[in-house]
Amino acid sequence: MNVRTLCLGILSFRQMTGYDIRKLAAEGNFSHFCEANYGSIYPALSQLTKDGFVVFTDEVIDGKPPRKIYSITDKGRSYLFNTLNKQPGPDRFKSEFLFYSLFQDKMSPEDFRKLLVRKIAETRDTLESLEKANDCCDHQPSHFALGYGVAMNKAVLDYLKNYLASFDHQVKEADNLSNED
Amino acid sequence: MNVRTLCLGILSFRQMTGYDIRKLAAEGNFSHFCEANYGSIYPALSQLTKDGFVVFTDEVIDGKPPRKIYSITDKGRSYLFNTLNKQPGPDRFKSEFLFYSLFQDKMSPEDFRKLLVRKIAETRDTLESLEKANDCCDHQPSHFALGYGVAMNKAVLDYLKNYLASFDHQVKEADNLSNED
DNA sequence: TACGTCATGTAAGTCGTTACATGATTGG
DNA sequence: CCAATCATGTAACGACTTACATGACGTA
């Protein structure tokens, strides 16, 4: 799913600006399963315009920055639903954290613990914002996608919290042993 | 975490060929949180060699294809542990499936159901292979990383199975209603 | 004999990131 | 007045994907 298709999909819900698209894709209800920056969105919108998949109207209002409001065309819509008929590629998960964790026995316990604690906080934040979005949301398909993210992050949070507990337990035991010497 | 660092990390466990690295990164115990193909691994290894982070020996054995066996150098190891001291970037999750699911009310129930069923099968497969790998594995950090994947995929599988059940239930009810007409 | 696996690599192209450039408005 | 937010874009670069190119061995 490239940025062009992402934009097209988002615009199929309602017309909006490139700025709005970026908000949804990088901070909003779509951000937990996709990504897009200005640097890819604006060129994508140009291309989609060239292809006739979207059109825009210039909105110039006094006292506001001028905006381009993009809408999907019939051609764009049929292109979108056509690609949606193909089967989706596999989910992709990339975790620098997990890569780092492979070397936990090469780090000091304090360093690895920090890593864990930070990750737990991060996951908790993500989870909270997904749950909040899920509560507000009445669009059923978005609800499904948000719930997916909630389920995933809950599981990860549990896993990490358990691991932290057992990690602390182990460190404590090791301390006790060394104190007995 | 670019492919160069990934290769360096993998080579810090043991010496191996580019072919082996690809296996680990695309099919093995690392594949659930990273990706790499030949097309990125071989150039990465050349670069790492130039930088003095790895060295290789040519292995030429009669009746076997010649291989280059790469090992990490001290310089490479210290570079690796240096980057490991920085804090890791956030996990990235991309799901074409979730994107597609946003349009479930625009598809026929049969089409969306197929999507769900396929995803469930896929998740079950991933989960099984992670669990199998986890059973065999005695390297504790890998165990942690695999467990993370297991937890995530279990949660997703549960979520999808529940959703499928409620989906089928709804479709059935709708059928009953329309039959009563 | 044909296919799968081992094994290494290149080249073209796609795609996206980061940083830069600009400028207006709003709210503290 | 300063910072944040709204708003659009470009350019350079980096990174990875895909397809191509090659070849040997084992096995069914």
Side-chain angles (χ1 to χ4, degrees):
Chain A
M1 177 196 42
N2 55 24
V3 176
R4 265 196 321 284
T5 312
L6 178 64
C7 290
L8 207 53
I10 290 178
L11 288 173
S12 83
F13 294 116
R14 60 177 178 83
Q15 55 172 36
M16 65 183 92
T17 65
Y19 189 84
D20 295 329
I21 292 176
R22 194 230 144 229
K23 265 215 147 176
L24 280 176
E27 300 164 25
N29 288 1
F30 300 75
S31 60
H32 68 293
F33 62 85
C34 67
E35 297 180 278
N37 305 310
Y38 296 129
S40 51
I41 289 170
Y42 286 118
L45 289 171
S46 306
Q47 189 57 49
L48 288 170
T49 306
K50 259 187 214 158
D51 295 339
F53 294 155
V54 304
V55 289
F56 65 87
T57 54
D58 280 301
E59 187 194 77
V60 185
I61 299 179
D62 240 38
K64 285 200 175 175
R67 317 194 297 160
K68 286 187 179 179
I69 301 180
Y70 288 90
S71 332
I72 194 167
T73 62
D74 287 344
K75 193 179 167 193
R77 198 163 247 118
S78 75
Y79 175 81
L80 175 65
F81 292 132
N82 206 43
T83 59
L84 253 35
N85 276 334
K86 297 168 193 154
Q87 70 179 82
D91 289 359
R92 292 174 191 289
F93 174 69
K94 284 195 192 185
S95 176
E96 249 180 71
F97 166 76
L98 284 187
F99 178 70
Y100 278 45
S101 82
L102 292 178
F103 306 96
Q104 59 185 271
D105 50 1
K106 305 285 195 311
M107 303 177 200
S108 69
E110 299 81 46
D111 280 353
F112 181 62
R113 195 177 188 282
K114 267 183 208 159
L115 219 58
L116 261 182
V117 168
R118 198 176 289 133
K119 186 73 192 163
I120 287 173
E122 198 186 295
T123 308
R124 191 174 276 138
D125 287 351
T126 308
L127 182 57
E128 262 173 38
S129 82
L130 284 170
E131 278 172 337
K132 196 175 291 178
N134 209 11
D135 287 343
C136 305
C137 163
D138 60 345
H139 180 236
Q140 199 269 332
S142 294
H143 202 70
F144 169 73
L146 287 165
Y148 191 104
V150 167
M152 250 180 51
N153 278 279
K154 253 187 193 158
V156 166
L157 185 57
D158 272 1
Y159 183 76
L160 291 175
K161 278 161 74 178
N162 281 332
Y163 194 77
L164 179 62
S166 75
F167 181 84
D168 282 343
H169 185 70
Q170 271 172 45
V171 170
K172 208 175 154 191
E173 283 206 339
D175 277 359
N176 286 345
L177 277 177
S178 68
N179 286 344
E180 278 170 24
D181 291 345
Chain B
M1 178 194 42
N2 56 23
V3 177
R4 264 194 324 282
T5 312
L6 179 64
C7 289
L8 208 52
I10 291 179
L11 288 173
S12 82
F13 294 116
R14 62 176 176 82
Q15 56 172 35
M16 66 183 92
T17 67
Y19 190 84
D20 295 329
I21 292 175
R22 193 228 145 234
K23 266 216 144 175
L24 280 175
E27 301 165 24
N29 289 1
F30 299 75
S31 61
H32 69 292
F33 62 86
C34 68
E35 298 181 277
N37 305 310
Y38 296 129
S40 50
I41 288 169
Y42 285 118
L45 288 172
S46 304
Q47 190 57 49
L48 288 170
T49 305
K50 259 187 214 158
D51 295 339
F53 294 156
V54 303
V55 289
F56 65 87
T57 53
D58 280 302
E59 187 195 75
V60 185
I61 298 180
D62 242 38
K64 284 199 175 175
R67 319 193 296 161
K68 286 186 180 181
I69 301 180
Y70 287 89
S71 332
I72 194 169
T73 62
D74 287 343
K75 194 180 167 191
R77 197 163 250 118
S78 74
Y79 176 82
L80 175 65
F81 292 132
N82 206 45
T83 60
L84 254 34
N85 275 335
K86 296 167 194 152
Q87 71 179 82
D91 289 359
R92 292 172 192 291
F93 175 69
K94 286 194 190 185
S95 177
E96 248 180 71
F97 166 76
L98 285 187
F99 178 70
Y100 279 44
S101 81
L102 292 178
F103 307 96
Q104 58 185 275
D105 49 2
K106 306 284 194 313
M107 304 179 200
S108 70
E110 299 82 44
D111 280 354
F112 181 62
R113 195 178 189 282
K114 267 182 208 160
L115 218 59
L116 261 181
V117 168
R118 199 176 289 133
K119 186 73 191 161
I120 287 173
E122 197 186 296
T123 309
R124 193 174 274 138
D125 286 351
T126 308
L127 183 56
E128 261 173 38
S129 81
L130 284 171
E131 277 172 337
K132 195 174 291 180
N134 209 10
D135 287 343
C136 303
C137 163
D138 59 346
H139 179 236
Q140 199 269 332
S142 295
H143 200 72
F144 169 73
L146 288 165
Y148 190 104
V150 167
M152 251 180 51
N153 278 279
K154 253 187 193 158
V156 166
L157 185 57
D158 272 1
Y159 184 76
L160 292 175
K161 279 161 74 177
N162 281 333
Y163 194 77
L164 178 62
S166 75
F167 181 84
D168 282 343
H169 185 71
Q170 271 172 44
V171 170
K172 209 176 153 190
E173 284 206 337
D175 276 1
N176 286 344
L177 277 177
S178 68
N179 285 343
E180 277 169 26
D181 289 345

